[in-house]
Every structure is written in structure tokens, then in C-alpha cells.
Amino acid sequence: MIVLKSPREIARMREAGRLVAGAIDCAAHLIRPGVATRELDLAIENVFREAGAEALFKGVRGKVPFPAASCISVNDEVVHGIPGERVLNAGDLVSIDTACRLAGWCADSAWTFPVGRVDEEKSRLLTLGQNVLELALTEIGRQARWSAVATLMSDAVHKAGFSVVEDLVGHGIGREMHEDPQVPNYVSDSLRQADFALEPGLVLAIEPMINAGSRRTRTSKKDHWTVRTEDGQPSVHFEHTVALTEAGPLVLTLSESDRPGA
């Protein structure tokens, strides 16, 4: 069941959103060749701890509980990468995904960053990922139903010669990190049955995941979490929590930094 939020509740979620954006920015400032992914996660966990917020990823149930406050995914890792001793290298792509609950309300965001200079394909993939998210944030204020937005998103990806991940989707968000509805970045006949209206009070975590090669993915049998592209090609992940209001879309996880798209 989709639960619409009041203007007051959306304002509370905006506070959580600012905190998530700040945590990602804090970690982003550490990105450089030679840094271990656990250092990025530690920075995020410290931001949440100091604010009295709950790091929502830590302890999420699975075959093994997720052990960190953030997902740090590198190159062909689409999502759910576990931070650790892995060291970033020049030319890598690194995606930082995290969420928190602050004073009872949740926010969720992700961003993919280059480590130094990246090759042309990775640069195109980064630009496209940001543009597709921006497209969605604009079109949810123009379209009547989510399927129309998802169609525009997937069309933009395919026109660029890349692919949309279909094994993973966005979601509603509020007092819980995952609420109805599911928010796919593509459209199929089966998904049209789960389409939903875009109306004031709706709060969504919109998160396009785009692969350079095939859309197909696989989950690590070693850690039971990390999702990789099946063909080993790079992937990007961009996500904002956004509320629909009477005045139009309001992005709740905007950053105060000069991060592109913020």
C-alpha cells in the first residue's frame, strides 16, 4: 500500500536527506588512488553517529547480515559492494550508496564518482547516469504515471548504447527505507500492471543503475551481497530521494557541495 506523506512529514524527511547527502560528500572528499573502501564507509558511519541517526544498511538481513553503513561498489560492481581493504586505483569508478533514519524518517541516496581521470567509456557512462536521474526528477513533475517516466529513462539509456539494470529497482520510502511502490527504471508488460499515479505526497527513492554492456547481473557467492555485471563491464548508480508536492518535485537528498547534479 502506498502511503502519501504530509508537507510536515516531507520536511522531516528533508532533514534526513540533508544528512545522507552530507555523509556521501564527506566520503567523496576522501576518494583518491590508494584509499581503502573501508575508509569511505567509516567516514559515513561517523557522520550518522555524530548526528544521532541510524545507519540503515548496517545489519540488513540476508544470507549474512550486511556489515557496513554504506555500499561501496567499484567498476563492474553494480550495487551492494561491501567496504573493506580494497584500494581504489586511478581510473576506477566508485559508487557510494547509503541511507539513514533521523528522528523516525528515512532518506536514501547514491552517487558514482571517478577516481582521478577515467577513460572515455566510463566518462560517458557517468554523464549518462547523472542525466538520466535528472531526467526522472524533471519528468515526475510533468507526467501522470511512473511508467511514462521509466520509458523516457530507458529510452535515453538505450539511445546512448548502454543498458538498464532490470534485476534491481527503486522504491518508496518514509518511516521505513523500503516502502511501496517499487520504482523500476524500465517498462515491461508485467510491470505495467504495477504502475502508479504521480501525486502530491508520494516520496520515492529513484535510482537508475546503468551498465556499459549487458543488463545482466550476478550476485557474489562469496559475500552473498555484491552484485556485479555478468560481462565484467563497468556500471554506475545514481539515486535521490524525491517528494512530489503541490509545488512540484522536491529533491530531499540534495547536497550543499559542488557535486555534479546536486
Side-chain angles (χ1 to χ4, degrees):
M1 180 180 69
I2 297 175
V3 178
L4 301 179
K5 279 71 178 180
S6 70
R8 181 179 179 183
E9 290 170 334
I10 289 170
R12 298 289 293 277
M13 293 187 71
R14 174 68 175 121
E15 294 305 310
R18 286 193 181 98
L19 186 61
V20 167
I24 290 177
D25 282 347
C26 185
H29 284 123
L30 300 175
I31 293 174
R32 65 185 184 279
V35 71
T37 57
R38 62 173 174 77
E39 295 179 51
L40 308 183
D41 180 68
L42 180 61
I44 287 170
E45 187 166 21
N46 286 340
V47 169
F48 291 157
R49 182 185 299 111
E50 289 174 5
E54 177 187 357
L56 289 174
F57 289 4
K58 198 162 192 176
V60 168
R61 293 180 181 179
K63 193 162 185 177
V64 295
F66 194 78
S70 64
C71 299
I72 310 292
S73 306
V74 182
N75 293 331
D76 65 325
E77 296 174 350
V78 182
V79 289
H80 303 166
I82 297 177
E85 299 305 317
R86 180 174 184 171
V87 169
L88 299 178
N89 296 308
D92 284 345
L93 294 178
V94 56
S95 298
I96 302 175
D97 182 12
T98 194
C100 80
R101 180 183 286 111
L102 180 67
W105 293 97
C106 304
D108 189 2
S109 186
W111 209 262
T112 302
F113 300 90
V115 182
R117 296 184 65 179
V118 297
D119 63 33
E120 182 179 352
E121 181 182 65
K122 288 179 178 177
S123 180
R124 287 181 58 227
L125 195 58
L126 281 167
T127 299
L128 178 67
Q130 294 174 40
N131 289 345
V132 168
L133 178 57
E134 289 296 328
L135 173 67
L137 298 177
T138 298
E139 291 298 331
I140 58 171
R142 297 176 177 174
Q143 305 297 332
R145 302 190 68 80
W146 175 254
S147 59
V149 180
T151 297
L152 291 170
M153 294 169 72
S154 61
D155 285 351
V157 173
H158 296 147
K159 184 177 180 181
F162 296 129
S163 62
V164 179
V165 172
E166 297 184 6
D167 297 331
L168 301 151
V169 299
H171 50 92
I173 186 169
R175 288 197 175 274
E176 300 297 331
M177 181 168 59
H178 292 106
E179 298 184 355
D180 290 334
Q182 288 197 331
V183 185
N185 305 302
Y186 65 99
V187 175
S188 66
D189 290 341
S190 61
L191 285 174
R192 288 184 189 280
Q193 299 176 10
D195 197 10
F196 55 91
L198 299 172
E199 56 185 320
L202 189 66
V203 184
L204 306 174
I206 299 172
E207 50 181 321
M209 290 156 273
I210 301 170
N211 294 347
S214 167
R215 66 176 174 81
R216 298 185 181 281
T217 64
R218 58 185 176 85
T219 300
S220 169
K221 294 181 179 179
K222 182 177 180 180
D223 66 29
H224 308 292
W225 280 104
T226 305
V227 178
R228 291 184 168 86
T229 59
E230 192 173 76
D231 59 10
Q233 294 297 303
S235 182
V236 295
H237 179 201
F238 292 91
E239 176 184 17
H240 270 314
T241 297
V242 58
L244 280 172
T245 75
E246 294 289 352
L250 176 63
V251 181
L252 305 183
T253 45
L254 278 177
S255 167
E256 302 300 329
S257 77
D258 59 355
R259 172 153 52 94

